[in-house]
Amino acid sequence: AALPALALGAGLLVAAWRWLRGAARPGRGGSMRGKTVIITGANSGLGRAAAAELLRMRARVIMGCRDRARAERAAREIRAEVGERADGAGELVVRELDLASLRSVRAFCHRVLQEESRLDVLINNAGIFQCPYMKTEDGFEMQFGVNHLGHFLLTNLLLGLLKNSAPSRIIVVSSKLYKYGEINFEDLNSEISYNKSFCYSRSKLANILFARELARRLEGTGVTVNSLHPGIVRTNLGRHVNIPLLAKPLFNLVSWAFFKTPLEGAQTSIYLASSPDVEGVSGKYFGDCKEEELLPKAMDDLVARKLWDISEVMVGLLK
């Protein structure tokens, strides 16, 4: 009898903790009516949660997704959750975008520039986590190619529209795991050695360095750039992580109890996209809707500039 009672007590404590964590979640910003937002990887996880919340705030949300069928299904579900508004404010649009293909990135941006008169917020959210060694269509190591290079090209091709729409915002979703990464310019493409954990961390460090250098380049334009970590979130990002069958029930219990939901994890992205509190704030790193300190290696401006220069050549912006 003692064991079930202990389990029930622990369950109640965990439930109360989760409720308090949700109650402590910061409120959304004001209306996003009339604003256009692009979110990469918006058909699941953090991106889907952010898309739903920004739609609720009456934004025009463009979901940039690799799998069009899954994205259309997610869009229908989001519309059903949010509900149709009588005044027609808020809109959800699906566009095909494969960040593992520079050709797809260019096609997506070409369509956006043809169809959209403004772009107020770009959320570089999509990512791939600790996958086996694979290469993108253009021959880049998959994690570095998708998490960094795909977003690098996407952002650069949309900069003109973002500048013309200023004040506008660029948000880069990174990870606390950047702390375990290093930018090895001798083996950026992991041709010499590959460690899936290290390469993920490197791509997330690259995200922060990219955001920092971009913020420097955009000073005075009215376009702000900030990076963030969402915390540990229950999403399908970890689909490449192998968990022993016997350990899965325990892992599922722990993740339910202590990992953030996608909506909780998306709060910092939503905050940076919509809150007047961060108007004009640029070049910073956030977690739980607050500015946080970075390790020195994530603030190395010489490395950031060198990474920028090499990335320009890798994606074909410079010959």
Side-chain angles (χ1 to χ4, degrees):
L3 192 58
L6 185 62
L8 177 62
L12 289 172
L13 283 173
V14 166
W17 178 80
R18 284 180 52 78
W19 182 85
L20 287 170
R21 186 178 68 184
R25 196 169 66 221
R28 299 193 299 265
S31 172
M32 293 287 284
R33 182 197 289 271
K35 297 194 174 183
T36 298
V37 181
I38 289 176
I39 307 175
T40 66
N43 61 288
S44 65
L46 297 172
R48 186 191 185 285
E53 287 299 287
L54 291 168
L55 182 64
R56 279 193 181 93
M57 298 162 70
R58 307 190 173 196
R60 172 179 167 82
V61 180
I62 300 173
M63 303 168 65
C65 303
R66 180 177 57 85
D67 188 323
R68 187 175 185 90
R70 287 180 60 202
E72 293 284 7
R73 185 164 59 249
R76 288 194 297 271
E77 292 169 356
I78 292 170
R79 292 187 191 105
E81 289 169 17
V82 173
E84 297 294 331
R85 292 186 179 277
D87 59 7
E91 186 180 4
L92 210 53
V93 179
V94 172
R95 294 287 180 263
E96 192 170 326
L97 170 64
D98 183 357
L99 289 157
S101 164
L102 299 183
R103 174 182 49 81
S104 175
V105 173
R106 291 181 184 278
F108 172 86
C109 292
H110 178 75
R111 185 169 182 181
V112 167
L113 296 175
Q114 292 285 108
E115 296 179 349
E116 305 298 328
S117 59
R118 64 181 301 109
L119 177 55
D120 301 274
V121 182
L122 170 62
I123 304 179
N124 290 332
N125 164 82
I128 188 165
F129 178 71
Q130 294 193 9
C131 60
Y133 186 76
M134 297 184 284
K135 287 188 175 181
T136 67
E137 179 181 286
D138 305 280
F140 305 126
E141 184 275 310
M142 186 63 71
Q143 295 187 88
F144 190 74
V146 169
N147 298 352
H148 171 60
L149 291 174
H151 283 122
F152 179 88
L153 178 62
L154 175 80
T155 306
N156 273 281
L157 294 179
L158 295 176
L159 273 184
L161 186 56
L162 284 157
K163 289 177 181 176
N164 291 338
S165 308
S168 52
R169 305 179 183 190
I170 300 169
I171 297 153
V172 181
V173 179
S174 181
S175 165
K176 272 190 174 180
L177 293 177
Y178 86 86
K179 297 175 180 180
Y180 305 103
E182 300 291 340
I183 304 298
N184 178 6
F185 289 110
E186 303 305 313
D187 191 26
L188 275 181
N189 209 36
S190 302
E191 302 283 359
I192 299 171
S193 65
Y194 179 73
N195 177 290
K196 63 183 183 180
S197 299
F198 167 81
C199 287
Y200 177 76
S201 295
R202 178 166 64 189
S203 73
K204 295 289 103 178
L205 175 58
N207 286 159
I208 297 171
L209 292 167
F210 162 59
R212 186 174 178 85
E213 174 63 10
L214 182 57
R216 186 188 69 81
R217 290 170 180 253
L218 290 175
E219 285 178 7
T221 64
V223 184
T224 60
V225 191
N226 292 291
S227 59
L228 68 99
H229 75 83
I232 304 175
V233 187
R234 292 196 311 278
T235 70
N236 64 358
L237 188 67
R239 60 189 177 276
H240 293 294
V241 178
N242 292 318
I243 299 168
L245 189 62
L246 291 175
K248 279 191 175 180
L250 179 60
F251 175 81
N252 291 336
L253 178 63
V254 169
S255 66
W256 177 85
F258 298 107
F259 290 11
K260 291 181 178 181
T261 65
L263 179 56
E264 289 168 342
Q267 287 305 303
T268 306
S269 293
I270 297 162
Y271 171 76
L272 290 174
S274 63
S275 176
D277 295 347
V278 288
E279 189 170 337
V281 175
S282 193
K284 306 299 182 183
Y285 173 73
F286 286 80
D288 292 326
C289 302
K290 299 186 295 291
E291 186 182 337
E292 293 191 1
E293 293 295 319
L294 285 164
L295 294 180
K297 66 180 173 183
M299 298 188 291
D300 190 324
D301 291 335
L302 289 177
V303 171
R305 291 175 195 181
K306 184 174 181 180
L307 178 63
W308 180 286
D309 292 342
I310 291 174
S311 299
E312 279 188 316
V313 174
M314 293 177 83
V315 301
L317 289 173
L318 285 180
K319 300 298 182 186

